[in-house]
Amino acid sequence: MNEIEKIRYLNDILLEEMPAYRQQAASFPADAVSQRRLLRSLMNVRPPRPIRPDFLTVQDELLSAERERKGVIDGDALPVLAAHPQLAIWQGDITRLQVDAIVNAANAALLGCFYPCHGCIDNAIHSAAGLQLRDACSEIMDRQGHPEPNGQAKITPGFNLPARYVLHTVGPIVSGHVTARDRDDLAACYQSCLSLAAEHGLHSVAFCCISTGEFHFPNDEAAQIAVRTVIAFLQQQTSIQKVIFNVFKDMDAHIYRKLLGADRAPAPRA
């Protein structure tokens, strides 16, 4: 099958599973871009359940080809900061980073984003990893039996991501002024992710800007907490050799460069 045939094959299987979406699916044009958007939408709304092996085979072929087309960024090759030789800043799509683990800013359900093609990092990571990631998270949450509290972390494989693992953490949602509890919870996210990564003997971790998007934590203060917590953690004996602060917006790139004394040079990006 070529690419558009794979996309249509996957859409047909998902619509067979979820016939309630057939009418909406019919409104999508037949071109490859529109059908790929339909596929992402259907994957986003599909609840966790057993997945047909033939679906996974074709899905993995499609996502692997897309991963290579986007370009994989070798986290080990990213330059570290002169003042902080275990830290790096990289601006771009976190789903392109080849590291031991990337961090996902999740919600309390820990199942990914169910809003079709939403712009949050949770949606981007689940969409690039494939449906296996939602099922893996569902198994964790079924065992846990309650929503994920703020400031903890869970680990899953990365599946079709270049990263070997995904660390899922729930940051605080800020309503109005930032509270002391908000600050403590955000620091706990970074601490918990690093501790869990070290427990698994991982060497490189890439953090997104936890809680600064849909959860409205002020970007500058969030970055200060992130930098302070990571630097303190790396002062102890640990398997972690490199932490990458992954930023997407120019504003966050500027904040991190300034905090880490790298504001005279642009953050590597692609």
Side-chain angles (χ1 to χ4, degrees):
M1 286 187 283
N2 61 27
E3 183 174 67
I4 185 60
E5 289 171 338
K6 290 177 182 177
I7 292 169
R8 288 173 176 156
Y9 179 81
L10 297 172
N11 281 338
D12 286 344
I13 292 176
L14 293 179
L15 288 171
E16 182 181 332
E17 284 189 354
M18 302 182 293
Y21 292 100
R22 285 191 182 277
Q23 185 173 355
Q24 291 170 270
S27 67
F28 281 74
D31 63 278
V33 172
S34 299
Q35 288 298 301
R36 183 61 182 89
R37 184 172 180 83
L38 172 60
L39 175 58
R40 178 168 176 173
S41 299
L42 292 171
M43 291 172 67
N44 290 162
V45 299
R46 184 186 187 271
R49 61 173 65 145
I51 311 170
R52 286 171 46 171
D54 57 330
F55 180 96
L56 289 181
T57 297
V58 176
Q59 175 210 249
D60 291 353
E61 290 175 358
L62 178 68
L63 293 180
S64 295
E66 290 177 345
R67 179 187 65 221
E68 297 308 312
R69 191 159 59 239
K70 284 193 300 184
V72 173
I73 303 297
D74 182 0
D76 289 341
L78 292 177
V80 295
L81 302 171
H84 302 280
Q86 289 179 286
L87 303 180
I89 304 168
W90 184 73
Q91 185 174 8
D93 178 357
I94 199 170
T95 68
R96 297 176 61 194
L97 279 175
Q98 182 175 297
V99 289
D100 284 343
I102 61 172
V103 173
N104 178 30
N107 57 54
L110 217 74
L111 296 178
C113 172
F114 281 83
Y115 291 96
C117 300
H118 191 250
C120 68
I121 194 167
D122 198 11
N123 191 298
I125 288 173
H126 275 262
S127 296
L131 290 182
Q132 301 98 312
L133 183 56
R134 178 165 285 168
D135 273 12
C137 290
S138 179
E139 290 177 9
I140 291 171
M141 297 308 288
D142 286 347
R143 291 194 300 269
Q144 179 164 287
H146 59 80
E148 180 75 352
N150 289 358
Q152 298 185 12
K154 298 291 189 293
I155 189 169
T156 64
F159 298 105
N160 289 290
L161 293 163
R164 293 170 56 204
Y165 297 98
V166 180
L167 299 165
H168 307 264
T169 190
V170 181
I173 299 174
V174 174
S175 300
H177 295 295
V178 179
T179 66
R181 177 64 180 271
D182 293 333
R183 297 183 183 97
D184 290 344
D185 283 351
L186 184 59
C189 288
Y190 287 89
Q191 178 74 33
S192 295
C193 286
L194 292 170
S195 296
L196 187 56
E199 286 176 22
H200 285 77
L202 305 187
H203 299 292
S204 56
V205 176
F207 280 100
C208 62
C209 300
I210 301 168
S211 277
T212 59
E214 298 294 318
F215 287 7
H216 307 298
F217 206 109
N219 298 61
D220 188 74
E221 187 171 6
Q224 293 177 46
I225 291 169
V227 167
R228 183 167 62 246
T229 306
V230 169
I231 288 176
F233 185 90
L234 292 176
Q235 290 175 349
Q236 61 185 300
Q237 190 71 25
T238 175
S239 66
I240 299 172
Q241 300 172 4
K242 190 171 191 176
V243 172
I244 299 166
F245 291 110
N246 170 250
V247 296
F248 193 74
K249 299 177 181 177
D250 289 343
M251 172 180 64
D252 290 315
H254 174 74
I255 289 170
Y256 275 91
R257 289 200 301 265
K258 184 175 181 180
L259 282 174
L260 292 166
D263 51 325
R264 294 184 180 180
R269 63 182 298 172

